[in-house]
Amino acid sequence: MDLKYIFCFPRQFLTPPHLSSRERFSPDANNLEFTLSRRLYNVVLDVVRSQTVQQKHVSKFIILTSLMRPAVRGKLAVFGVLFEGVIDQIPLAPHTYIDFWSIFKLLISVMRPLPPDRPLGIEPLSQVDLKAGLCCAYVWHNVSPYHSHPPRLNYRFHYFASSLYGLGILRDPDFFVCAMHDVLELSSNDTRQLNMLLNPVGQWIKAYGAELFQQAKHGWKSGDAKLLEHGYLYKLELNKTYGEQHPAPGLTIHRWRFWLKRLEDAMVKIVECERPPESTGENNVARRAARRMAQLLSKYDEEEARKRNTREMIE
């Protein structure tokens, strides 16, 4: 990853308000799980402050989360502790990237398979747990664009999710589809909001465009259809192509083409109007994302054309 990371800690981490009482933390947590979550917060905080992951951190994390009920483990540990508790407190300076490497290393370590002779009931954090926690974060009012106030942590969430995807910790591109859906498939007159939501699009495409396009070529479909659901504007496009028989929601070439057209037709102009001169022209985030998407699509179309020509010659 050839990105420059700048890490800036607050002088002091404060105990988040939601960790002050079980009622404020989560209605799904019982008394034991609330106590476990507070201890887990201290473990993660020690990792972030020291920028090192020691075996004691890994062991404590796995033991604490193993004592939580599987149905709420991801929501409490990944969303309540990791994202809302710690990541929310790390300041994000404009035009810089946060160094989350210690957190990434911790997640890699606690998600590794454990030896078969481990104590009964001790389990590593799973992909299901991670995905459940990220889903809770995505619909949180500070991340989701579907609330009245600007989602101040939307970019931070997508930077975190895209990095997990790039490192192979998160295997599904679902949250990439969410980022594209939120800015390119919904009808909105709020150009300031759209301008802000374009930053996650630029992050996903710039860093992982080629990998994401490969999954689009194979028609990625998730087990969680809600994350991949079609937006209003894309549904209109599907009506033109398929009539009323829409394909199942997923990451497809057809959807990729629609996103590219929306970036070129509308979002480039929005960025030019909403951002300062140094962020326009060739530095326009929508233009850069569209250029990369078009490059990948052009290679695909050329390959498909060669295949058709070969089949016609054989026939």
Side-chain angles (χ1 to χ4, degrees):
M1 200 182 299
D2 60 348
L3 301 176
K4 182 180 180 182
Y5 290 86
I6 298 177
F7 194 54
C8 42
F9 284 113
R11 291 183 180 178
Q12 181 180 3
F13 280 88
L14 304 175
T15 300
H18 74 290
L19 282 171
S20 62
S21 69
R22 184 178 67 83
E23 291 73 19
R24 298 185 67 175
F25 179 61
S26 173
D28 297 324
N30 58 35
N31 289 330
L32 172 61
E33 287 163 340
F34 174 64
T35 301
L36 295 170
S37 297
R38 286 177 60 90
R39 292 183 179 179
L40 188 63
Y41 170 76
N42 291 328
V43 172
V44 177
L45 205 58
D46 190 42
V47 168
V48 174
R49 281 174 169 159
S50 65
Q51 285 290 280
T52 59
V53 179
Q54 301 176 31
Q55 185 56 46
K56 67 176 183 179
H57 298 132
V58 177
S59 299
K60 288 179 181 179
F61 191 106
I62 292 175
I63 291 171
L64 291 170
T65 53
S66 293
L67 294 173
M68 297 175 181
R69 289 168 295 161
V72 297
R73 184 183 299 140
K75 179 179 181 179
L76 303 184
V78 177
F79 170 56
V81 174
L82 199 60
F83 194 84
E84 188 178 4
V86 176
I87 292 174
D88 184 18
Q89 294 197 62
I90 302 175
L92 179 62
H95 310 300
T96 63
Y97 294 93
I98 299 175
D99 185 354
F100 286 141
W101 281 110
S102 60
I103 296 177
F104 297 147
K105 289 176 183 176
L106 177 63
L107 285 173
I108 290 171
S109 298
V110 301
M111 294 180 73
R112 288 195 183 111
L114 296 175
D117 60 346
R118 65 185 180 274
L120 185 65
I122 300 299
E123 299 291 341
L125 194 73
S126 69
Q127 280 278 324
V128 173
D129 297 328
L130 179 62
K131 186 90 169 279
L134 291 173
C135 286
C136 292
Y138 175 66
V139 299
W140 186 31
H141 64 88
N142 282 321
V143 172
S144 172
Y146 307 116
H147 297 276
S148 58
H149 59 81
R152 64 183 179 84
L153 297 180
N154 183 271
Y155 175 72
R156 194 174 311 199
F157 169 82
H158 282 291
Y159 171 71
F160 186 62
S162 64
S163 298
L164 292 175
Y165 173 81
L167 291 167
I169 303 172
L170 181 68
R171 301 192 186 100
D172 300 346
D174 295 3
F175 295 107
F176 163 67
V177 177
C178 290
M180 305 299 274
H181 169 278
D182 292 345
V183 71
L184 301 174
E185 295 187 5
L186 302 179
S187 180
S188 174
N189 294 321
D190 190 343
T191 56
R192 293 182 64 187
Q193 177 101 320
L194 291 172
N195 174 52
M196 181 181 69
L197 295 176
L198 273 166
N199 286 328
V201 169
Q203 164 66 19
W204 276 101
I205 294 296
K206 178 182 178 181
Y208 311 112
E211 295 93 328
L212 293 162
F213 189 75
Q214 286 299 315
Q215 290 185 284
K217 285 170 62 175
H218 293 96
W220 170 264
K221 290 179 175 57
S222 169
D224 191 344
K226 289 183 179 179
L227 287 176
L228 304 182
E229 65 181 7
H230 299 144
Y232 172 73
L233 296 178
Y234 184 53
K235 287 179 180 178
L236 296 178
E237 185 68 19
L238 288 172
N239 287 340
K240 298 177 185 177
T241 307
Y242 298 101
E244 296 181 359
Q245 301 297 319
H246 293 181
L251 174 56
T252 63
I253 294 296
H254 186 276
R255 204 169 187 178
W256 189 279
R257 291 186 194 278
F258 174 79
W259 292 335
L260 173 59
K261 189 173 187 302
R262 284 280 293 156
L263 282 169
E264 293 175 334
D265 292 351
M267 299 306 155
V268 170
K269 297 176 184 176
I270 287 176
V271 172
E272 293 292 320
C273 293
E274 292 290 337
R275 300 199 179 190
E278 62 269 19
S279 298
T280 58
E282 289 303 308
N283 293 325
N284 185 311
V285 63
R287 180 176 284 115
R288 292 201 306 267
R291 185 182 297 121
R292 180 60 175 145
M293 292 180 71
Q295 289 172 347
L296 294 165
L297 189 59
S298 177
K299 290 181 181 178
Y300 169 79
D301 288 338
E302 290 174 3
E303 291 173 1
E304 290 301 301
R306 283 196 294 270
K307 291 177 183 178
R308 284 195 300 271
N309 292 336
T310 302
R311 285 196 298 268
E312 290 172 1
M313 291 174 62
I314 293 174
E315 294 172 357

